[in-house]
Amino acid sequence: MTTSQPPIRFTGHKNFPYRLVLSTLTGRTVHISQIRSSSPTNPGLAQHEISFLRLLESVTNGSQMEISYTGTIIVYKPGLITGSAAGAGTSSGGVIKHELPAGCTRGLSYYLIPLCLLAPFSKAPIKILFTGPGVITSSTPTGDMSVDSVRTAILPLYNQFGIFNNIELRVLRRSNPGPNGRGGGGEVQLVFGHQVRLPKTLHLLNGGRIKRIRGVAYSVGVSGSNNARMIETARGVLNSLCPDTYVFSDMSPAPLVPAPEQTNPSAKKKIGLGFGLSLVAESSTGCLFSADVASPPEGGQPPEDIGKQCAYQLLETVSKGGCVAPPAVATMLTLMTMGSEDVGRIQIGRDVIADENTVQLARDLAKIGAPGWGLRDAAGENENSDVIVSVVGRGIGNVGRKVA
């Protein structure tokens, strides 16, 4: 007779998607309580968290979720990661269509980055079409990066782990945050077709020097001259750092979302107007540093300010040192933990390792059963030198794929 392991207990809503991802990868049941329990107006799970649970249910088979009446407690029992395999809730063509509600305030990267962590360990390729009035492809005031930065600064990192075939992120319809930062009406398709048994052990100890800067300036439903103004201002700041700077310009019409009226039930309205800039700096050793700024939903900020702010944000990210930018820390360290039973090492900036999200990730990994990290100072004379993090892989890998 086998006895099931007791659930791992967490509290609070922070790091919610990564806790569910770690639970799914390791097969451990998690019990999360006190989810906004002190909020007098909106206790319990938010719309974007419920939507993430629905997304998780569509790419797994056998997952069970028990949510309390107030939504402040959830018990999640993970199933097998099936991806877009037959019988996993797919629509025509093996593509899962996931619709986000209109009240969503989080950018699409909130869903994409955790989902990409599950994709290499699934039984079949993951093909998902994100649609609906709540899809925001730009960066958001809540701190989410844009879809462009996920495509150019997060997905290429999987090359370091031997995951590089048939990975594509297509922006079919752009959108900035709508009124009050809610909804956008964009459309994005993710294709992740490279499944592995175990990620390779990573040793990344040299940040290198910045050799090129690339970026995307986008305008949604507004004049395309905003792109040129953002690019010119950003290049004025960055050319002294790296002459090889090229920023693409993308103009698109504003998306239409249903807005039925009593006299016209089929009426639609434009939403998600605005502009923004995404920049990525690549070093000589393949390290990527990103920055994202978009116009605020209430408007009133000129494109020159957006361009300058994004350029200085990129310089600040590079100045933190190390081999990984703050938005990519969770991806790199999680893949290292799930890899083969060997010690991998990565050099991270001191400010990045001391970030609240990184510390919380370390605590969650320790609770889930992963060995603790080994920390030591990198070779350097100054006190602000980087930190070398040693991670022991758990060798969990892909249970649905037995050969490499």
Side-chain angles (χ1 to χ4, degrees), residues 282-329:
E282 182 182 353
S283 75
S284 55
T285 56
C287 302
L288 299 171
F289 305 91
S290 63
D292 258 304
V293 180
S295 58
E298 64 273 10
Q301 195 165 2
E304 288 81 6
D305 287 359
I306 299 291
K308 185 180 293 185
Q309 185 179 344
C310 191
Y312 282 125
Q313 190 181 107
L314 181 66
L315 295 178
E316 183 183 1
T317 305
V318 173
S319 70
K320 290 181 178 179
C323 301
V324 58
V329 168

Side-chain angles (χ1 to χ4, degrees), residues 194-213:
H194 193 164
Q195 279 67 48
V196 293
R197 177 69 187 101
L198 283 170
K200 291 182 179 179
T201 304
L202 179 68
H203 298 281
L204 191 59
L205 302 175
N206 183 9
R209 292 181 175 272
I210 300 302
K211 67 175 183 178
R212 72 166 65 97
I213 296 175

Side-chain angles (χ1 to χ4, degrees), residues 225-240:
S225 64
N226 293 314
N227 286 356
R229 293 161 66 183
M230 285 187 293
I231 292 171
E232 184 179 2
T233 309
R235 283 182 60 93
V237 175
L238 296 173
N239 275 350
S240 57

Side-chain angles (χ1 to χ4, degrees), residues 148-179:
D148 297 286
S149 292
V150 174
R151 178 174 53 84
T152 55
I154 301 294
L155 293 183
L157 298 176
Y158 285 83
N159 291 339
Q160 311 270 7
F161 299 92
I163 305 167
F164 48 82
N165 287 334
N166 195 20
I167 301 175
E168 194 172 354
L169 186 58
R170 309 185 188 112
V171 183
L172 306 179
R173 188 187 303 135
R174 290 190 177 275
S175 174
N176 276 48

Side-chain angles (χ1 to χ4, degrees), residues 102-379:
C104 186
T105 58
R106 302 301 299 260
L108 198 59
S109 61
Y110 176 86
Y111 305 91
L112 286 174
I113 298 177
L115 181 64
C116 289
L117 281 173
L118 294 175
F121 307 101
S122 69
K123 188 175 182 180
I126 283 184
K127 301 176 183 178
I128 294 188
L129 178 66
F130 291 93
T131 184
V135 178
I136 304 173
T137 63
S138 72
S139 57
T140 62
T142 51
D144 299 308
M145 65 195 311
S146 68
V147 173
D148 297 286
S149 292
V150 174
R151 178 174 53 84
T152 55
I154 301 294
L155 293 183
L157 298 176
Y158 285 83
N159 291 339
Q160 311 270 7
F161 299 92
I163 305 167
F164 48 82
N165 287 334
N166 195 20
I167 301 175
E168 194 172 354
L169 186 58
R170 309 185 188 112
V171 183
L172 306 179
R173 188 187 303 135
R174 290 190 177 275
S175 174
N176 276 48
N180 300 318
R182 297 180 179 276
E187 193 169 316
V188 174
Q189 184 174 13
L190 171 68
V191 177
F192 204 116
H194 193 164
Q195 279 67 48
V196 293
R197 177 69 187 101
L198 283 170
K200 291 182 179 179
T201 304
L202 179 68
H203 298 281
L204 191 59
L205 302 175
N206 183 9
R209 292 181 175 272
I210 300 302
K211 67 175 183 178
R212 72 166 65 97
I213 296 175
R214 295 292 182 265
V216 177
Y218 48 88
S219 296
V220 181
V222 295
S223 172
S225 64
N226 293 314
N227 286 356
R229 293 161 66 183
M230 285 187 293
I231 292 171
E232 184 179 2
T233 309
R235 283 182 60 93
V237 175
L238 296 173
N239 275 350
S240 57
L241 169 70
C242 179
D244 186 9
T245 301
Y246 188 85
V247 183
F248 298 89
S249 177
D250 188 1
M251 294 167 285
S252 59
L256 295 171
V257 297
E261 300 173 356
Q262 188 172 5
T263 56
N264 186 8
S266 60
K268 294 184 177 182
K269 66 175 181 179
K270 289 184 177 181
I271 194 174
L273 282 73
F275 49 85
L277 181 62
S278 163
L279 295 173
V280 176
E282 182 182 353
S283 75
S284 55
T285 56
C287 302
L288 299 171
F289 305 91
S290 63
D292 258 304
V293 180
S295 58
E298 64 273 10
Q301 195 165 2
E304 288 81 6
D305 287 359
I306 299 291
K308 185 180 293 185
Q309 185 179 344
C310 191
Y312 282 125
Q313 190 181 107
L314 181 66
L315 295 178
E316 183 183 1
T317 305
V318 173
S319 70
K320 290 181 178 179
C323 301
V324 58
V329 168
T331 297
M332 300 292 278
L333 293 175
T334 303
L335 287 173
M336 291 172 71
T337 304
M338 297 300 138
S340 56
E341 296 180 26
D342 196 0
V343 180
R345 296 175 298 164
I346 186 170
Q347 187 165 315
I348 300 180
R350 194 171 293 268
D351 290 340
V352 179
I353 198 70
D355 184 73
E356 178 188 357
N357 295 325
T358 308
V359 174
Q360 187 62 56
L361 177 67
R363 291 172 176 167
D364 292 347
L365 284 170
K367 270 195 173 183
I368 217 85
W373 297 342
L375 305 178
R376 65 180 175 88
D377 288 335

